[in-house]
Amino acid sequence: MAIEVRIPTILRSYTGGAKVVEGTGDTLGDLLTDLDSRHGGLKGRLVTDAGALHRFVNVYVNDEDVRFLGALDAKLNDGDSVTILPAVAGGAFGFAAAAAISQHRAATAAVAGGVRGTSSVAAR
Amino acid sequence: MLSIDRSIVDAIVAHARRDHPDEACGVVAGPAGSDTPTRHIAMDNAARSMTFYEFDSMEQLRVWREMDDRDEEPVVIYHSHTATEAYPSRTDISFAGEPGAHYLLVSTREPDSEEIRSFRIVDGVVTEEPVRIVDAGVDPHAVQSYMFGQSPATVDYECSGR
């Protein structure tokens, strides 16, 4: 099954400049593995060594942030559209503190997963 | 060099002042490839913090799609530092994911003057650039250039004989 994936500028070096590529997979993790077989290195920019979605990117399935759909376990269906955007964040805070916040958010999001509609508020 | 209309800078500074002491953030979109910021979009700081900012991921998706539909790109990505200088922190550098954007920082630590500086951040390397503020509605030749953190309030406006 084909899933359309929109690639942000910063990652188009992995797709030969292509803005949209296609892949297959039952979950987001499977899709990224499939993409990586043709666009080597792409997965490494999206998934940490520990196997979690990287905090520097936002990934959406259709109109939903995958952090609230189970992250890499998010289920995909034929015809879904996946969008990858660089997360826009920063500030005067030290990096370690920002990383701690981000991990806390991810943990909260995991707990809140399934509580649709309120999850984006609850996770912050 | 970032060339930007004064009315947009004024809107960014007003946003930063309004949200002070929390950090404010947003985007100025412009036609793709033009390097000209034309449409100011104030974004929510989902972190609502004095030391951290983060676009709300759903608002970002909506705004980025809108830019795509209009053949625009994020020409400027801005945020404020409310107690420190307008220079990218290590956090800013780690997150910088738009290599084509001008990263504009506004410091609101002084109550009556702003520090406005612009940077390119590519592969973790920060390069400061001059900011050229253009008075489009007044006189195309009436231009001020700021570099390296001079506050607009302290620069003489030589063309202002009116």
Side-chain angles (χ1 to χ4, degrees):
Chain A
M1 63 183 190
I3 294 154
E4 176 191 274
V5 184
R6 303 183 75 83
I7 305 290
T9 309
I10 195 167
L11 297 179
R12 287 180 200 158
S13 55
Y14 297 94
T15 60
K19 192 173 172 179
V20 179
V21 297
E22 285 200 345
T24 59
D26 292 333
T27 65
L28 179 62
D30 292 345
L31 173 70
L32 296 182
T33 300
D34 175 59
L35 291 179
D36 202 66
S37 68
R38 291 183 302 284
H39 310 291
L42 183 63
K43 188 178 180 183
R45 294 293 300 271
L46 303 171
V47 177
T48 66
D49 292 343
L53 196 59
H54 213 295
R55 65 179 171 276
F56 299 126
V57 292
N58 293 334
V59 182
Y60 309 85
V61 176
N62 302 322
D63 291 330
E64 299 271 356
D65 185 334
V66 297
R67 288 191 176 88
F68 308 117
L69 299 174
L72 292 171
D73 296 329
K75 293 278 182 290
L76 298 177
N77 293 300
D78 196 14
D80 278 347
S81 173
V82 170
T83 302
I84 303 169
L85 293 181
V88 182
F93 220 0
F95 181 76
I101 287 174
S102 184
Q103 279 162 15
H104 173 75
R105 264 192 58 202
T108 312
V111 171
V115 189
R116 300 283 292 280
T118 58
S119 53
S120 68
V121 176
R124 299 183 200 279
Chain B
M1 156 110 77
L2 168 65
S3 290
I4 184 167
D5 195 87
R6 175 176 302 282
S7 62
I8 296 174
V9 173
D10 288 349
I12 290 171
V13 168
H15 179 207
R17 286 288 175 205
R18 196 162 64 237
D19 286 9
H20 185 91
D22 283 351
E23 293 194 4
C25 55
V27 180
V28 189
S34 72
D35 201 33
T36 302
T38 54
R39 190 165 66 91
H40 172 231
I41 306 156
M43 303 284 286
D44 283 339
N45 177 0
R48 297 191 195 292
S49 161
M50 296 189 284
T51 51
F52 192 67
Y53 82 95
E54 180 173 35
F55 284 7
D56 175 82
S57 66
M58 296 315 296
E59 183 181 28
Q60 187 188 349
L61 178 65
R62 183 175 57 73
V63 168
W64 255 242
R65 278 201 181 144
E66 190 177 76
M67 284 192 284
D68 218 34
D69 291 345
R70 298 167 61 122
D71 244 337
E72 293 175 330
E73 59 190 5
V75 178
V76 171
I77 294 175
Y78 72 88
H79 75 282
S80 62
H81 285 177
T82 57
T84 54
E85 67 172 332
Y87 192 86
S89 67
R90 287 172 62 194
T91 316
D92 295 333
I93 297 163
S94 301
F95 272 95
E98 293 284 359
H102 302 267
Y103 284 87
L104 189 76
L105 276 86
V106 178
S107 174
T108 54
R109 65 177 164 177
E110 301 294 338
D112 44 15
S113 70
E114 293 83 27
E115 189 187 19
I116 299 165
R117 298 166 75 176
S118 182
F119 305 85
R120 296 287 193 166
I121 308 176
V122 179
D123 292 334
V125 177
V126 177
T127 309
E128 182 155 17
E129 60 182 359
V131 179
R132 180 169 171 267
I133 297 180
V134 184
D135 279 300
V138 181
D139 177 350
H141 301 296
V143 161
Q144 281 177 284
S145 291
Y146 303 121
M147 272 193 79
F148 307 127
Q150 290 185 58
S151 160
T154 64
V155 178
D156 284 338
Y157 188 29
E158 292 182 354
C159 305
S160 65
R162 62 185 71 207

